[in-house]
């Protein structure tokens, strides 16, 4: 197992710019996307995998293991290439879900190849691709490790029951981060954010898809089946807290600067970010509220007309080998979608690497898992109205 990096690695999510829905996406949603939909029989192209041992994979920056001494070397990916003879063109070109949607949607809606065999995007955006018929069903016969090792909590999101079209790359939790020493008490509930001693020292995430679920959970809502009334109730509450000055501002991933700097004492946060912050400041805590927190994923998909589908399926399955998933988890520090990787990490000779097996933000324990849920996604019909209201509140 590789040693844990000794220097703080910038979060991959720190590169994400939350735009609340791109113009092209909004236009498609507004017209019901009938012209953009691709029927199942029109999604596949002749697969060249058997005679052309390569594939092109688009991913986010800082989202795969690299060699400490050579950042251009990706050990797990290079091991896959040696093992299979498949050459992988790995492109770190995804910096924002909406931006990437805009980049490849003209090809997909016009039934042309994208030049990519594999992509990784957030599940709320995966839902759009699945509804539009822009991704291909995977052949699980080629993916025994996915079938065997995928975390049961992630197996059946509302937009893709049974994970027919998607496979989680990494997962994470949207919860609450706070400075225990400066606050002087614990935070256990979402409602604790509205306490008087936190007035003006709280931030919420600005992105609609990132923010709403945790706030609903604070109201006791089952986020797997939330309603429009639940959404508007949350908006009413947030508006009140904005007017009262309780909420300092809405943020992207720059909440980490506010929290570390002390301007903010509590905030909505991503679990993977907090692991990195704790390396420098053990007073930073992350909590899954007693009412629950949102479990999310960013998932692998094979776009329509991909020329190397079987090769892509083989690569996905390779990353579900527990020893490979463990090596990746030791570097990226997000929630590992392969629980069996925990035992692999625990047996590592390096002490710091082995300690990661006990981190509940990488391998949630039983008590935490009971409080995690995957939110149903915002439908195309809901998005325009909901985004308009939410963006009005955050001042976007």
């Amino acid at each position: 197992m590789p040693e844990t990096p000794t220097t703080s690695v910038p979060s991959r999510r720190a590169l994400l710019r939350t735009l609340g829905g791109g113009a092209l996406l909004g236009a498609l949603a507004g017209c019901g996307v009938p012209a953009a939909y691709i029927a199942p029989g029109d999604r596949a192209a002749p697969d060249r995998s058997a005679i052309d041992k390569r594939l092109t994979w688009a991913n986010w920056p800082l989202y795969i293991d690299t060699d400490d001494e050579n950042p251009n070397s990706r050990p797990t990916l290079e091991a896959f290439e040696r093992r299979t003879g498949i050459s992988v063109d790995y492109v770190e070109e995804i910096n924002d879900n909406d931006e990437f949607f805009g980049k490849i949607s003209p090809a997909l809606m016009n039934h042309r190849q994208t030049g990519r065999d594999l992509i990784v995007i957030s599940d709320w955006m995966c839902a759009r691709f699945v509804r539009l018929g822009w991704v291909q069903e995977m052949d699980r016969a080629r993916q025994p490790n996915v079938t065997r090792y995928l975390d049961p909590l992630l197996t059946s999101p509302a937009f893709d029951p049974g994970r027919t079209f998607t496979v989680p790359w990494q997962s994470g939790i949207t919860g609450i981060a706070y400075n225990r020493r400066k606050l002087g008490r614990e935070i256990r509930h979402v409602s604790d954010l509205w306490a008087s001693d936190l007035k003006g020292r709280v931030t919420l995430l600005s992105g609609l898809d990132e923010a709403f679920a945790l706030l609903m959970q604070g109201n006791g809502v089952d986020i797997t089946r939330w309603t429009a009334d639940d959404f508007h109730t949350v908006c009413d509450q947030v508006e009140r807290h904005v007017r009262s000055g309780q909420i300092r501002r809405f943020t992207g991933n720059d909440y980490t600067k506010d929290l570390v700097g002390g301007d903010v004492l509590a905030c909505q946060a991503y679990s993977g970010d907090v692991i990195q912050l704790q390396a420098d400041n053990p007073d930073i805590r992350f909590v899954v509220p007693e009412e629950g927190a949102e479990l999310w994923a960013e998932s692998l998909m094979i776009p329509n007309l991909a020329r190397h589908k079987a090769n892509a399926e083989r690569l996905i399955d390779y990353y579900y080998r527990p020893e490979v998933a463990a090596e990746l988890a030791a570097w990226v520090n997000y929630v590992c979608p392969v629980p069996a990787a925990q035992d692999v990490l625990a047996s590592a000779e390096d002490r710091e690497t082995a300690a990661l097996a006990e981190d509940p933000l990488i391998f949630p324990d039983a008590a935490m898992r009971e409080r995690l849920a995957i939110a149903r996604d915002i439908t195309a019909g809901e998005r325009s109205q909901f985004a308009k209201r939410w963006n009005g509140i955050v001042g976007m």
Side-chain angles (χ1 to χ4, degrees):
M1 297 301 304
E3 293 186 1
T4 305
T6 56
T7 57
S8 178
V9 179
S11 167
R12 198 281 308 154
R13 274 191 165 252
L15 300 174
L16 186 147
R17 292 180 291 110
T18 307
L19 303 180
L24 179 57
L25 178 58
L28 289 172
C31 66
V33 299
Y37 178 77
I38 304 298
D42 296 325
R43 298 174 189 174
D47 193 353
R48 299 177 55 82
S49 294
I51 59 174
D52 191 10
K53 306 290 281 186
R54 63 187 177 93
L55 68 95
T56 299
W57 178 9
N59 205 347
W60 303 74
L62 306 175
Y63 218 17
I64 197 170
D65 55 303
T66 60
D67 189 294
D68 289 346
E69 297 181 359
N70 180 6
N72 294 318
S73 174
R74 304 178 179 98
T76 57
L77 189 56
E78 291 165 7
F80 170 79
E81 291 178 314
R82 291 192 300 269
R83 180 187 185 94
T84 63
I86 297 171
S87 175
V88 181
D89 181 15
Y90 184 82
V91 186
E92 293 183 327
E93 64 170 327
I94 305 176
N95 293 297
D96 172 80
N97 286 289
D98 293 303
E99 179 184 74
F100 188 68
F101 180 96
K103 180 185 290 188
I104 68 172
S105 59
L108 289 165
M109 73 172 61
N110 290 293
H111 201 55
R112 298 196 306 265
Q113 295 175 25
T114 66
R116 302 158 183 88
D117 301 293
L118 195 60
I119 62 176
V120 178
I121 53 178
S122 301
D123 266 2
W124 63 265
M125 181 60 83
C126 289
R128 316 289 177 268
F129 280 75
V130 171
R131 286 200 197 100
L132 288 164
W134 287 0
V135 290
Q136 298 183 61
E137 182 174 345
M138 295 191 200
D139 183 353
R140 288 290 182 259
R142 296 192 182 109
Q143 298 177 320
N145 292 320
V146 173
T147 300
R148 181 177 180 182
Y149 292 117
L150 174 58
D151 190 333
L153 285 178
L154 296 167
T155 55
S156 199
F159 73 92
D160 186 16
R163 288 284 182 183
T164 303
F165 299 96
T166 63
V167 173
W169 170 242
Q170 294 294 292
S171 184
I173 303 166
T174 300
I176 298 172
Y178 66 103
N179 189 310
R180 175 65 178 82
R181 182 178 62 82
K182 290 185 177 181
L183 182 58
R185 61 179 174 84
E186 303 288 342
I187 284 182
R188 297 180 180 175
H189 303 276
V190 176
S191 60
D192 290 343
L193 294 173
W194 318 133
S196 59
D197 59 346
L198 282 173
K199 185 173 183 178
R201 311 293 291 276
V202 172
T203 61
L204 298 182
L205 294 169
S206 59
L208 168 61
D209 295 273
E210 286 77 14
F212 78 91
L214 180 71
L215 301 175
M216 285 185 186
Q217 286 168 302
N219 292 335
V221 173
D222 177 357
I223 60 171
T224 67
R225 57 185 70 183
W226 59 270
T227 67
D229 286 343
D230 297 325
F231 174 79
H232 289 297
T233 296
V234 161
C235 288
D236 291 342
Q237 293 169 334
V238 174
E239 283 178 330
R240 288 198 300 271
H241 293 306
V242 169
R243 287 195 297 266
S244 72
Q246 186 75 19
I247 297 172
R248 183 183 184 89
R249 68 187 186 106
F250 297 86
T251 72
N253 283 81
D254 49 339
Y255 71 82
T256 58
K257 297 178 182 178
D258 290 343
L259 186 62
V260 171
D263 292 330
V264 161
L265 297 182
C267 57
Q268 276 189 316
Y270 303 121
S271 55
D273 290 343
V274 175
I275 291 176
Q276 296 177 21
L277 295 180
Q278 289 172 334
D280 297 320
N281 186 347
D283 293 322
I284 302 296
R285 306 287 176 85
F286 182 87
V287 63
V288 170
E290 292 186 12
E291 302 87 357
E294 182 189 13
L295 180 68
W296 46 262
E298 285 163 331
S299 294
L300 297 140
M301 299 191 299
I302 300 172
N304 289 356
L305 305 182
R307 292 293 194 181
H308 306 92
K309 182 173 183 286
N311 290 345
E313 290 167 337
R314 192 171 179 184
L315 184 143
I316 294 169
D317 199 57
Y318 163 79
Y319 274 99
Y320 270 73
R321 295 169 61 93
E323 64 274 19
V324 179
E327 189 170 352
L328 181 62
W331 200 89
V332 299
N333 290 174
Y334 281 93
V335 174
C336 181
V338 183
Q342 184 173 19
D343 289 340
V344 178
L345 275 177
S347 64
E349 293 183 3
D350 177 71
R351 186 178 302 174
E352 291 185 0
T353 300
L356 295 175
E358 302 305 317
D359 192 327
L361 300 187
I362 300 176
F363 298 100
D365 57 30
M368 184 181 291
R369 290 172 68 87
E370 289 181 358
R371 301 199 302 276
L372 298 176
I374 298 177
R376 82 155 176 88
D377 56 293
I378 300 171
T379 68
E382 295 168 328
R383 179 161 295 277
S384 179
Q385 174 193 1
F386 289 178
K388 181 177 181 180
R389 179 160 194 203
W390 180 256
N391 292 345
I393 294 171
V394 268
M396 297 179 68

